[in-house]
Amino acid sequence: MQERRRYPRIPTDEPAILTVLGPKPRRLSGIVTDISARGIQLRLDYPVPISAPLRIDVFGTMLLGEACYSTLVDGHWHAGILLDHVVEQVEEIAVLENAM
């Protein structure tokens, strides 16, 4: 079968914090299993709601997007996230905010 993805996926095994945004934000620990220019996949212990707005903190960067899928695979949930925004140097921004 021919690969139909526009952007190549880069495998990784990086810890991340995923926050399901909304009136009652929920934080989950997970592992980034692959990343591309427009998306990211995480392995989690719990499912995430489809189309939910999400924040992922990983690699010292804040990623914002929405869940495309959440599938149970070998006892873990794999969530695919379509990325909307990438905010780099999050720690430096926090230092600047605290200095104001």
Side-chain angles (χ1 to χ4, degrees):
M1 188 161 116
Q2 182 178 355
E3 178 67 42
R4 294 179 23 197
R5 298 183 192 281
R6 248 189 254 176
Y7 304 101
R9 293 186 171 268
I10 301 166
T12 184
D13 193 30
E14 190 71 25
I17 300 295
L18 178 136
T19 305
V20 179
L21 302 173
K24 296 180 181 179
R26 191 173 96 210
R27 290 173 53 105
L28 304 169
S29 295
I31 301 292
V32 176
T33 57
D34 67 53
I35 189 165
S36 74
R38 291 285 296 146
I40 190 168
Q41 178 178 269
L42 285 98
R43 185 176 63 239
L44 305 159
D45 290 331
Y46 301 96
V48 294
I50 305 306
S51 298
L54 305 171
R55 171 183 170 163
I56 302 103
D57 291 283
V58 64
F59 311 118
T61 302
M62 179 177 60
L63 309 171
L64 299 173
E66 71 176 55
C68 297
Y69 66 85
S70 186
T71 306
L72 188 60
V73 178
D74 296 329
H76 293 281
W77 290 90
H78 288 231
I81 292 105
L82 177 62
L83 298 176
D84 292 321
H85 299 286
V86 176
V87 180
E88 297 183 71
Q89 302 170 331
V90 174
E91 293 168 359
E92 292 176 26
I93 293 170
V95 169
L96 289 172
E97 282 181 336
N98 291 333
M100 293 180 158

